[in-house]
PDB file of all heavy atoms in Angstrom:
ATOM      1  N   TYR X 178       3.446 -55.587  48.970  1.00  0.00           N
ATOM      2  CA  TYR X 178       4.476 -55.008  49.735  1.00  0.00           C
ATOM      3  C   TYR X 178       5.362 -56.134  50.205  1.00  0.00           C
ATOM      4  O   TYR X 178       4.839 -57.258  50.430  1.00  0.00           O
ATOM      5  CB  TYR X 178       3.953 -54.292  50.968  1.00  0.00           C
ATOM      6  CG  TYR X 178       3.583 -52.836  50.711  1.00  0.00           C
ATOM      7  CD1 TYR X 178       2.263 -52.382  50.850  1.00  0.00           C
ATOM      8  CD2 TYR X 178       4.528 -51.906  50.305  1.00  0.00           C
ATOM      9  CE1 TYR X 178       1.963 -51.056  50.653  1.00  0.00           C
ATOM     10  CE2 TYR X 178       4.234 -50.599  50.051  1.00  0.00           C
ATOM     11  CZ  TYR X 178       2.881 -50.172  50.226  1.00  0.00           C
ATOM     12  OH  TYR X 178       2.583 -48.887  49.944  1.00  0.00           O
ATOM     13  N   ASP X 179       6.655 -55.888  50.359  1.00  0.00           N
ATOM     14  CA  ASP X 179       7.498 -56.827  51.187  1.00  0.00           C
ATOM     15  C   ASP X 179       7.937 -56.117  52.408  1.00  0.00           C
ATOM     16  O   ASP X 179       7.726 -54.924  52.597  1.00  0.00           O
ATOM     17  CB  ASP X 179       8.690 -57.348  50.303  1.00  0.00           C
ATOM     18  CG  ASP X 179       9.692 -56.230  49.961  1.00  0.00           C
ATOM     19  OD1 ASP X 179       9.955 -55.358  50.759  1.00  0.00           O
ATOM     20  OD2 ASP X 179      10.221 -56.300  48.831  1.00  0.00           O
ATOM     21  N   GLU X 180       8.425 -56.869  53.362  1.00  0.00           N
ATOM     22  CA  GLU X 180       8.740 -56.334  54.683  1.00  0.00           C
ATOM     23  C   GLU X 180       9.785 -55.209  54.655  1.00  0.00           C
ATOM     24  O   GLU X 180       9.738 -54.324  55.490  1.00  0.00           O
ATOM     25  CB  GLU X 180       9.190 -57.436  55.623  1.00  0.00           C
ATOM     26  CG  GLU X 180      10.433 -58.187  55.229  1.00  0.00           C
ATOM     27  CD  GLU X 180      10.758 -59.262  56.225  1.00  0.00           C
ATOM     28  OE1 GLU X 180      10.903 -58.996  57.413  1.00  0.00           O
ATOM     29  OE2 GLU X 180      10.902 -60.469  55.790  1.00  0.00           O
ATOM     30  N   ASP X 181      10.704 -55.260  53.695  1.00  0.00           N
ATOM     31  CA  ASP X 181      11.731 -54.209  53.625  1.00  0.00           C
ATOM     32  C   ASP X 181      11.137 -52.858  53.238  1.00  0.00           C
ATOM     33  O   ASP X 181      11.533 -51.851  53.699  1.00  0.00           O
ATOM     34  CB  ASP X 181      12.829 -54.650  52.586  1.00  0.00           C
ATOM     35  CG  ASP X 181      13.657 -55.770  53.087  1.00  0.00           C
ATOM     36  OD1 ASP X 181      13.706 -56.000  54.301  1.00  0.00           O
ATOM     37  OD2 ASP X 181      14.272 -56.478  52.284  1.00  0.00           O
ATOM     38  N   GLN X 182      10.156 -52.905  52.296  1.00  0.00           N
ATOM     39  CA  GLN X 182       9.518 -51.670  51.911  1.00  0.00           C
ATOM     40  C   GLN X 182       8.797 -50.973  53.078  1.00  0.00           C
ATOM     41  O   GLN X 182       8.866 -49.815  53.260  1.00  0.00           O
ATOM     42  CB  GLN X 182       8.447 -51.937  50.769  1.00  0.00           C
ATOM     43  CG  GLN X 182       9.097 -52.336  49.397  1.00  0.00           C
ATOM     44  CD  GLN X 182       7.979 -52.641  48.410  1.00  0.00           C
ATOM     45  OE1 GLN X 182       7.291 -53.628  48.589  1.00  0.00           O
ATOM     46  NE2 GLN X 182       7.845 -51.860  47.375  1.00  0.00           N
ATOM     47  N   VAL X 183       8.087 -51.844  53.843  1.00  0.00           N
ATOM     48  CA  VAL X 183       7.363 -51.297  54.978  1.00  0.00           C
ATOM     49  C   VAL X 183       8.335 -50.808  56.053  1.00  0.00           C
ATOM     50  O   VAL X 183       8.199 -49.701  56.582  1.00  0.00           O
ATOM     51  CB  VAL X 183       6.419 -52.430  55.570  1.00  0.00           C
ATOM     52  CG1 VAL X 183       5.709 -51.852  56.809  1.00  0.00           C
ATOM     53  CG2 VAL X 183       5.486 -52.901  54.531  1.00  0.00           C
ATOM     54  N   LYS X 184       9.370 -51.564  56.354  1.00  0.00           N
ATOM     55  CA  LYS X 184      10.297 -51.211  57.412  1.00  0.00           C
ATOM     56  C   LYS X 184      10.984 -49.908  57.046  1.00  0.00           C
ATOM     57  O   LYS X 184      11.242 -49.086  57.956  1.00  0.00           O
ATOM     58  CB  LYS X 184      11.302 -52.323  57.619  1.00  0.00           C
ATOM     59  CG  LYS X 184      12.235 -52.071  58.842  1.00  0.00           C
ATOM     60  CD  LYS X 184      13.127 -53.250  59.171  1.00  0.00           C
ATOM     61  CE  LYS X 184      13.987 -53.015  60.340  1.00  0.00           C
ATOM     62  NZ  LYS X 184      14.853 -54.181  60.682  1.00  0.00           N
ATOM     63  N   SER X 185      11.325 -49.677  55.806  1.00  0.00           N
ATOM     64  CA  SER X 185      12.055 -48.540  55.425  1.00  0.00           C
ATOM     65  C   SER X 185      11.338 -47.252  55.792  1.00  0.00           C
ATOM     66  O   SER X 185      11.881 -46.342  56.432  1.00  0.00           O
ATOM     67  CB  SER X 185      12.299 -48.532  53.909  1.00  0.00           C
ATOM     68  OG  SER X 185      12.848 -47.330  53.421  1.00  0.00           O
ATOM     69  N   ILE X 186      10.029 -47.154  55.456  1.00  0.00           N
ATOM     70  CA  ILE X 186       9.250 -45.939  55.708  1.00  0.00           C
ATOM     71  C   ILE X 186       8.897 -45.820  57.181  1.00  0.00           C
ATOM     72  O   ILE X 186       8.916 -44.777  57.757  1.00  0.00           O
ATOM     73  CB  ILE X 186       8.029 -45.835  54.779  1.00  0.00           C
ATOM     74  CG1 ILE X 186       7.342 -44.469  55.036  1.00  0.00           C
ATOM     75  CG2 ILE X 186       7.102 -46.984  54.980  1.00  0.00           C
ATOM     76  CD1 ILE X 186       6.263 -44.169  54.082  1.00  0.00           C
ATOM     77  N   VAL X 187       8.589 -46.925  57.844  1.00  0.00           N
ATOM     78  CA  VAL X 187       8.168 -46.869  59.213  1.00  0.00           C
ATOM     79  C   VAL X 187       9.345 -46.413  60.089  1.00  0.00           C
ATOM     80  O   VAL X 187       9.236 -45.608  60.987  1.00  0.00           O
ATOM     81  CB  VAL X 187       7.609 -48.268  59.697  1.00  0.00           C
ATOM     82  CG1 VAL X 187       7.375 -48.256  61.203  1.00  0.00           C
ATOM     83  CG2 VAL X 187       6.294 -48.549  58.909  1.00  0.00           C
ATOM     84  N   GLN X 188      10.538 -46.990  59.788  1.00  0.00           N
ATOM     85  CA  GLN X 188      11.714 -46.626  60.535  1.00  0.00           C
ATOM     86  C   GLN X 188      12.025 -45.109  60.410  1.00  0.00           C
ATOM     87  O   GLN X 188      12.338 -44.428  61.377  1.00  0.00           O
ATOM     88  CB  GLN X 188      12.943 -47.410  60.081  1.00  0.00           C
ATOM     89  CG  GLN X 188      14.214 -47.141  60.855  1.00  0.00           C
ATOM     90  CD  GLN X 188      14.116 -47.653  62.293  1.00  0.00           C
ATOM     91  OE1 GLN X 188      13.979 -48.775  62.577  1.00  0.00           O
ATOM     92  NE2 GLN X 188      14.179 -46.669  63.243  1.00  0.00           N
ATOM     93  N   TYR X 189      11.859 -44.610  59.159  1.00  0.00           N
ATOM     94  CA  TYR X 189      12.128 -43.163  58.933  1.00  0.00           C
ATOM     95  C   TYR X 189      11.104 -42.321  59.718  1.00  0.00           C
ATOM     96  O   TYR X 189      11.489 -41.342  60.317  1.00  0.00           O
ATOM     97  CB  TYR X 189      11.971 -42.877  57.439  1.00  0.00           C
ATOM     98  CG  TYR X 189      12.607 -41.603  56.982  1.00  0.00           C
ATOM     99  CD1 TYR X 189      13.864 -41.528  56.460  1.00  0.00           C
ATOM    100  CD2 TYR X 189      11.943 -40.342  57.177  1.00  0.00           C
ATOM    101  CE1 TYR X 189      14.423 -40.321  56.082  1.00  0.00           C
ATOM    102  CE2 TYR X 189      12.534 -39.165  56.851  1.00  0.00           C
ATOM    103  CZ  TYR X 189      13.782 -39.117  56.328  1.00  0.00           C
ATOM    104  OH  TYR X 189      14.379 -37.920  55.985  1.00  0.00           O
ATOM    105  N   ALA X 190       9.887 -42.773  59.707  1.00  0.00           N
ATOM    106  CA  ALA X 190       8.814 -42.028  60.426  1.00  0.00           C
ATOM    107  C   ALA X 190       9.109 -42.019  61.963  1.00  0.00           C
ATOM    108  O   ALA X 190       8.913 -40.987  62.573  1.00  0.00           O
ATOM    109  CB  ALA X 190       7.429 -42.653  60.158  1.00  0.00           C
ATOM    110  N   PHE X 191       9.563 -43.110  62.514  1.00  0.00           N
ATOM    111  CA  PHE X 191       9.910 -43.153  63.896  1.00  0.00           C
ATOM    112  C   PHE X 191      11.086 -42.180  64.237  1.00  0.00           C
ATOM    113  O   PHE X 191      11.053 -41.472  65.272  1.00  0.00           O
ATOM    114  CB  PHE X 191      10.244 -44.545  64.358  1.00  0.00           C
ATOM    115  CG  PHE X 191       9.088 -45.344  64.887  1.00  0.00           C
ATOM    116  CD1 PHE X 191       8.312 -46.048  64.056  1.00  0.00           C
ATOM    117  CD2 PHE X 191       8.794 -45.289  66.221  1.00  0.00           C
ATOM    118  CE1 PHE X 191       7.216 -46.800  64.542  1.00  0.00           C
ATOM    119  CE2 PHE X 191       7.734 -45.998  66.764  1.00  0.00           C
ATOM    120  CZ  PHE X 191       6.897 -46.718  65.891  1.00  0.00           C
ATOM    121  N   ASN X 192      12.010 -42.108  63.279  1.00  0.00           N
ATOM    122  CA  ASN X 192      13.162 -41.208  63.537  1.00  0.00           C
ATOM    123  C   ASN X 192      12.718 -39.734  63.546  1.00  0.00           C
ATOM    124  O   ASN X 192      13.231 -38.951  64.331  1.00  0.00           O
ATOM    125  CB  ASN X 192      14.226 -41.411  62.496  1.00  0.00           C
ATOM    126  CG  ASN X 192      14.945 -42.759  62.650  1.00  0.00           C
ATOM    127  OD1 ASN X 192      15.020 -43.310  63.680  1.00  0.00           O
ATOM    128  ND2 ASN X 192      15.492 -43.228  61.545  1.00  0.00           N
ATOM    129  N   VAL X 193      11.729 -39.421  62.677  1.00  0.00           N
ATOM    130  CA  VAL X 193      11.213 -38.027  62.677  1.00  0.00           C
ATOM    131  C   VAL X 193      10.378 -37.807  63.950  1.00  0.00           C
ATOM    132  O   VAL X 193      10.438 -36.743  64.585  1.00  0.00           O
ATOM    133  CB  VAL X 193      10.408 -37.815  61.418  1.00  0.00           C
ATOM    134  CG1 VAL X 193       9.670 -36.472  61.488  1.00  0.00           C
ATOM    135  CG2 VAL X 193      11.314 -37.790  60.174  1.00  0.00           C
ATOM    136  N   ALA X 194       9.640 -38.793  64.380  1.00  0.00           N
ATOM    137  CA  ALA X 194       8.806 -38.671  65.556  1.00  0.00           C
ATOM    138  C   ALA X 194       9.647 -38.296  66.776  1.00  0.00           C
ATOM    139  O   ALA X 194       9.210 -37.597  67.694  1.00  0.00           O
ATOM    140  CB  ALA X 194       8.012 -39.923  65.845  1.00  0.00           C
ATOM    141  N   LYS X 195      10.906 -38.805  66.829  1.00  0.00           N
ATOM    142  CA  LYS X 195      11.777 -38.497  67.956  1.00  0.00           C
ATOM    143  C   LYS X 195      12.070 -37.002  68.109  1.00  0.00           C
ATOM    144  O   LYS X 195      12.267 -36.483  69.159  1.00  0.00           O
ATOM    145  CB  LYS X 195      13.128 -39.258  67.789  1.00  0.00           C
ATOM    146  CG  LYS X 195      13.058 -40.731  67.917  1.00  0.00           C
ATOM    147  CD  LYS X 195      14.440 -41.352  67.669  1.00  0.00           C
ATOM    148  CE  LYS X 195      14.403 -42.845  67.808  1.00  0.00           C
ATOM    149  NZ  LYS X 195      15.725 -43.455  67.548  1.00  0.00           N
ATOM    150  N   THR X 196      12.059 -36.356  66.943  1.00  0.00           N
ATOM    151  CA  THR X 196      12.325 -34.879  66.924  1.00  0.00           C
ATOM    152  C   THR X 196      11.091 -34.005  67.093  1.00  0.00           C
ATOM    153  O   THR X 196      11.186 -32.800  67.178  1.00  0.00           O
ATOM    154  CB  THR X 196      13.024 -34.491  65.574  1.00  0.00           C
ATOM    155  OG1 THR X 196      12.047 -34.599  64.495  1.00  0.00           O
ATOM    156  CG2 THR X 196      14.181 -35.393  65.284  1.00  0.00           C
ATOM    157  N   ARG X 197       9.968 -34.670  67.221  1.00  0.00           N
ATOM    158  CA  ARG X 197       8.671 -33.909  67.371  1.00  0.00           C
ATOM    159  C   ARG X 197       8.013 -34.258  68.738  1.00  0.00           C
ATOM    160  O   ARG X 197       8.662 -34.169  69.737  1.00  0.00           O
ATOM    161  CB  ARG X 197       7.763 -34.214  66.172  1.00  0.00           C
ATOM    162  CG  ARG X 197       8.304 -33.680  64.881  1.00  0.00           C
ATOM    163  CD  ARG X 197       7.430 -34.106  63.681  1.00  0.00           C
ATOM    164  NE  ARG X 197       6.022 -33.916  63.856  1.00  0.00           N
ATOM    165  CZ  ARG X 197       5.419 -32.770  63.555  1.00  0.00           C
ATOM    166  NH1 ARG X 197       6.089 -31.767  63.062  1.00  0.00           N
ATOM    167  NH2 ARG X 197       4.101 -32.633  63.794  1.00  0.00           N
ATOM    168  N   GLY X 198       6.781 -34.740  68.692  1.00  0.00           N
ATOM    169  CA  GLY X 198       6.054 -34.955  69.918  1.00  0.00           C
ATOM    170  C   GLY X 198       6.162 -36.378  70.477  1.00  0.00           C
ATOM    171  O   GLY X 198       5.450 -36.789  71.369  1.00  0.00           O
ATOM    172  N   LYS X 199       7.048 -37.195  69.830  1.00  0.00           N
ATOM    173  CA  LYS X 199       7.299 -38.557  70.229  1.00  0.00           C
ATOM    174  C   LYS X 199       5.968 -39.381  70.258  1.00  0.00           C
ATOM    175  O   LYS X 199       5.678 -40.138  71.168  1.00  0.00           O
ATOM    176  CB  LYS X 199       7.959 -38.650  71.581  1.00  0.00           C
ATOM    177  CG  LYS X 199       9.417 -38.094  71.575  1.00  0.00           C
ATOM    178  CD  LYS X 199      10.111 -38.242  72.921  1.00  0.00           C
ATOM    179  CE  LYS X 199      11.567 -37.936  72.814  1.00  0.00           C
ATOM    180  NZ  LYS X 199      11.838 -36.574  72.319  1.00  0.00           N
ATOM    181  N   LYS X 200       5.198 -39.218  69.192  1.00  0.00           N
ATOM    182  CA  LYS X 200       3.904 -39.889  69.107  1.00  0.00           C
ATOM    183  C   LYS X 200       3.611 -40.237  67.671  1.00  0.00           C
ATOM    184  O   LYS X 200       3.784 -39.394  66.766  1.00  0.00           O
ATOM    185  CB  LYS X 200       2.778 -39.006  69.659  1.00  0.00           C
ATOM    186  CG  LYS X 200       1.425 -39.657  69.641  1.00  0.00           C
ATOM    187  CD  LYS X 200       0.373 -38.652  70.172  1.00  0.00           C
ATOM    188  CE  LYS X 200      -1.021 -39.286  70.250  1.00  0.00           C
ATOM    189  NZ  LYS X 200      -2.045 -38.359  70.788  1.00  0.00           N
ATOM    190  N   ILE X 201       3.276 -41.511  67.370  1.00  0.00           N
ATOM    191  CA  ILE X 201       3.100 -41.941  66.019  1.00  0.00           C
ATOM    192  C   ILE X 201       1.910 -42.874  65.930  1.00  0.00           C
ATOM    193  O   ILE X 201       1.696 -43.718  66.756  1.00  0.00           O
ATOM    194  CB  ILE X 201       4.428 -42.598  65.462  1.00  0.00           C
ATOM    195  CG1 ILE X 201       4.320 -42.832  63.961  1.00  0.00           C
ATOM    196  CG2 ILE X 201       4.757 -43.888  66.206  1.00  0.00           C
ATOM    197  CD1 ILE X 201       5.682 -43.190  63.361  1.00  0.00           C
ATOM    198  N   VAL X 202       1.186 -42.807  64.780  1.00  0.00           N
ATOM    199  CA  VAL X 202       0.058 -43.635  64.522  1.00  0.00           C
ATOM    200  C   VAL X 202       0.314 -44.292  63.160  1.00  0.00           C
ATOM    201  O   VAL X 202       0.576 -43.613  62.150  1.00  0.00           O
ATOM    202  CB  VAL X 202      -1.254 -42.852  64.452  1.00  0.00           C
ATOM    203  CG1 VAL X 202      -2.425 -43.766  64.002  1.00  0.00           C
ATOM    204  CG2 VAL X 202      -1.601 -42.238  65.796  1.00  0.00           C
ATOM    205  N   SER X 203       0.274 -45.600  63.122  1.00  0.00           N
ATOM    206  CA  SER X 203       0.390 -46.365  61.880  1.00  0.00           C
ATOM    207  C   SER X 203      -0.995 -46.717  61.409  1.00  0.00           C
ATOM    208  O   SER X 203      -1.794 -47.345  62.147  1.00  0.00           O
ATOM    209  CB  SER X 203       1.238 -47.628  62.066  1.00  0.00           C
ATOM    210  OG  SER X 203       1.277 -48.414  60.868  1.00  0.00           O
ATOM    211  N   VAL X 204      -1.308 -46.442  60.110  1.00  0.00           N
ATOM    212  CA  VAL X 204      -2.669 -46.609  59.625  1.00  0.00           C
ATOM    213  C   VAL X 204      -2.658 -47.751  58.584  1.00  0.00           C
ATOM    214  O   VAL X 204      -1.847 -47.779  57.687  1.00  0.00           O
ATOM    215  CB  VAL X 204      -3.177 -45.322  58.981  1.00  0.00           C
ATOM    216  CG1 VAL X 204      -4.574 -45.482  58.341  1.00  0.00           C
ATOM    217  CG2 VAL X 204      -3.177 -44.147  60.011  1.00  0.00           C
ATOM    218  N   ASP X 205      -3.666 -48.607  58.704  1.00  0.00           N
ATOM    219  CA  ASP X 205      -3.776 -49.743  57.824  1.00  0.00           C
ATOM    220  C   ASP X 205      -5.213 -50.230  57.686  1.00  0.00           C
ATOM    221  O   ASP X 205      -6.093 -49.550  58.230  1.00  0.00           O
ATOM    222  CB  ASP X 205      -2.901 -50.918  58.315  1.00  0.00           C
ATOM    223  CG  ASP X 205      -3.235 -51.344  59.713  1.00  0.00           C
ATOM    224  OD1 ASP X 205      -4.423 -51.489  60.052  1.00  0.00           O
ATOM    225  OD2 ASP X 205      -2.292 -51.585  60.537  1.00  0.00           O
ATOM    226  N   LYS X 206      -5.400 -51.388  57.041  1.00  0.00           N
ATOM    227  CA  LYS X 206      -6.729 -52.044  57.058  1.00  0.00           C
ATOM    228  C   LYS X 206      -6.477 -53.483  57.300  1.00  0.00           C
ATOM    229  O   LYS X 206      -6.844 -54.440  56.546  1.00  0.00           O
ATOM    230  CB  LYS X 206      -7.384 -51.856  55.663  1.00  0.00           C
ATOM    231  CG  LYS X 206      -8.846 -52.269  55.586  1.00  0.00           C
ATOM    232  CD  LYS X 206      -9.807 -51.437  56.497  1.00  0.00           C
ATOM    233  CE  LYS X 206     -11.235 -51.859  56.302  1.00  0.00           C
ATOM    234  NZ  LYS X 206     -12.097 -51.220  57.315  1.00  0.00           N
TER     235      LYS X 206
END
Side-chain angles (χ1 to χ4, degrees):
Y178 274 118
D179 65 39
E180 60 181 306
D181 291 339
Q182 288 176 296
V183 180
K184 186 174 182 178
S185 175
I186 185 171
V187 173
Q188 183 67 63
Y189 198 100
F191 268 90
N192 289 337
V193 170
K195 291 179 182 178
T196 68
R197 292 174 51 87
K199 294 183 169 60
K200 183 179 181 180
I201 190 168
V202 175
S203 176
V204 177
D205 57 44
K206 191 64 176 172

